[in-house]
Amino acid sequence: MLPFVAPVVRAAGPTAGMAAAPSLASLAYVSLRSGDPQIWVRDNQGHEQALTSGRGVYAQPALSADGRIAFVAREAGRPVIQVMSGDGSGAQRVSTGADAEMAPSWAPDGRTLAFYALDLSSGNTVLRIVDVQTRAMTTIKVQGKSMGPAAASWSSDGMRLCFLAQDEKGRNQAFVVQQDGSGLKELSSKFAPRGAAWAELSPDGSKVVWVADLREKRSHLIITEVESGKSVDLTADVLASHESPRWSADSQYIAFSSTRDDPGGTRTDVFSMKSDGSELRNLSQHPAEDFDPKWSSDGRHVIFVSLRSGTSLLYQVNVQSGKTEVLAQHASHDMDHSVRPVAMLAR
């Protein structure tokens, strides 16, 4: 079983007149069960609640350590980032700009939020880092026009971020930067000139795991050390595609999806392995498509999306026992899930 450090969190109480939300959400996600995309939350006891309603498009929820949710809503025909309490109350924008905003991600302290902002007139995208209390904003620019689409990832101390962005040749590469905007560094082009995808920073801030396109009808899982720039291919001998690698909270394990166990090379399962490539396990082992794995905060489960019911639903697998269970069974779709991060220790 993976080691676990209990998070320190601040409780978020419900607003008077509204239904009480689950005790403290462990998971936020998008569900189509009411017809329109809505933001839902779920606690560790399995209690679910919709936090948005009505005719609208709500997407890309990001759950903070204290239970607040940042998400994408539509305003004046463009996507913008809003933040609401854990009971769905008090939704408000975090910026006042006219850009299209997307892909929010919380720092582990729950005070700082990163997101991409697209200038609709120039087509240029920047990474914005905002203090949600003071609204102080830092803007990160790169030579290419595009950033994302995956949300930026944070080190557990909140001091460093990793994100994908275009280089001067228009190819996506993995970048790291300090929270204050200093120390911008590109990590992936020396190893994979064709570009990078699915980059995520380890919680200890020392390594980035990412996917490289190295031709040969396959994609590789690469780990690059931030300080030295040294890269290691964890899948050099595997003829398969690999996607969405995600670090465990202790920076020791990686969950990912891959076609490596499908003879046809098209269907993905969910796997885990240590960051040195050892202890490889197929966690889902199902003939249906399983993908988009994310670690639970305590490291005991991996939560993923599966098409085994005929629709996309969320499942979790116990990484020790292998027991798999569906989190909610219905005839529609759940997706785009965000797990509550382990909070920083109080300072």
Side-chain angles (χ1 to χ4, degrees):
M1 183 179 298
L2 299 177
F4 168 56
V5 178
V8 177
V9 297
R10 300 185 299 277
T15 299
M18 295 190 66
S23 55
L24 184 65
S26 60
L27 196 66
Y29 49 96
V30 173
S31 182
L32 302 182
R33 65 187 78 176
S34 66
D36 292 293
Q38 306 293 348
I39 307 297
W40 285 64
V41 289
R42 173 189 173 93
D43 66 16
N44 285 328
Q45 286 71 51
H47 303 133
E48 292 184 295
Q49 181 175 329
L51 299 188
T52 60
S53 61
R55 301 288 297 179
V57 177
Y58 303 97
Q60 298 182 332
L63 187 57
S64 75
D66 64 2
R68 287 169 298 150
I69 298 97
F71 62 102
V72 175
R74 302 290 294 186
E75 179 181 283
R78 71 183 190 282
V80 298
I81 304 298
Q82 296 186 1
V83 172
M84 61 183 166
S85 298
D87 61 3
S89 65
Q92 57 181 319
R93 282 195 66 187
V94 299
S95 71
T96 59
D99 297 329
E101 301 168 349
M102 62 209 82
S105 62
W106 289 100
D109 64 1
R111 174 167 176 161
T112 310
L113 188 70
F115 61 93
Y116 302 119
L118 168 65
D119 185 321
L120 295 173
S121 59
S122 69
N124 291 318
T125 305
V126 296
L127 177 68
R128 299 203 190 280
I129 303 170
V130 59
D131 184 314
V132 296
Q133 295 182 17
T134 67
R135 301 303 170 96
M137 189 90 68
T138 300
T139 299
I140 310 297
K141 300 179 181 179
V142 296
Q143 291 180 307
K145 295 184 66 172
S146 178
M147 288 185 172
S153 55
W154 294 79
S155 58
S156 59
D157 62 6
M159 299 306 295
R160 176 176 279 171
L161 299 89
C162 172
F163 61 95
L164 287 171
Q166 284 184 347
D167 60 17
E168 66 277 6
K169 297 179 180 179
R171 294 170 176 166
N172 272 1
Q173 304 293 351
F175 290 79
V176 291
V177 70
Q178 297 298 109
Q179 186 197 61
D180 63 3
S182 64
L184 180 65
K185 185 176 182 180
E186 187 263 295
L187 294 177
S188 53
S189 64
K190 289 183 179 179
F191 190 89
R194 288 169 59 85
W198 303 102
E200 181 163 286
L201 182 64
S202 61
D204 65 14
S206 67
K207 300 178 289 292
V208 171
V209 62
W210 53 283
V211 173
D213 177 5
L214 297 179
R215 301 180 186 269
E216 302 166 341
K217 296 182 179 180
R218 59 181 179 177
S219 55
H220 298 238
L221 285 183
I222 313 298
I223 287 184
T224 300
E225 296 177 357
V226 173
E227 297 304 326
S228 70
K230 178 183 177 181
S231 294
V232 176
D233 188 343
L234 299 180
T235 55
D237 299 325
V238 183
L239 186 62
S241 295
H242 299 81
E243 297 177 351
S244 55
R246 305 278 172 34
W247 290 97
S248 61
D250 61 4
S251 302
Q252 297 299 307
Y253 289 81
I254 299 165
F256 60 97
S257 57
S258 175
T259 62
R260 60 193 299 152
D261 280 0
D262 177 33
T266 59
R267 178 189 53 79
T268 58
D269 284 312
V270 170
F271 296 80
S272 70
M273 66 179 171
K274 292 198 74 173
S275 61
D276 61 4
S278 64
E279 298 185 23
L280 175 70
R281 294 177 60 196
N282 186 330
L283 297 177
S284 59
Q285 298 187 45
H286 195 276
E289 191 87 359
D290 298 323
F291 55 98
D292 197 14
K294 295 176 182 176
W295 294 90
S296 63
S297 297
D298 61 10
R300 296 186 178 99
H301 297 86
V302 170
I303 301 165
F304 62 95
V305 181
S306 180
L307 302 182
R308 60 188 68 182
S309 70
T311 62
S312 63
L313 294 177
L314 297 177
Y315 288 72
Q316 69 175 13
V317 56
N318 185 300
V319 295
Q320 184 176 43
S321 69
K323 179 183 178 181
T324 301
E325 58 184 331
V326 64
L327 297 185
Q329 184 74 60
H330 53 81
S332 191
H333 301 273
D334 294 339
M335 65 199 79
D336 205 6
H337 56 299
S338 170
V339 176
R340 180 164 57 87
V342 176
M344 291 175 62
L345 295 178
R347 292 185 294 179

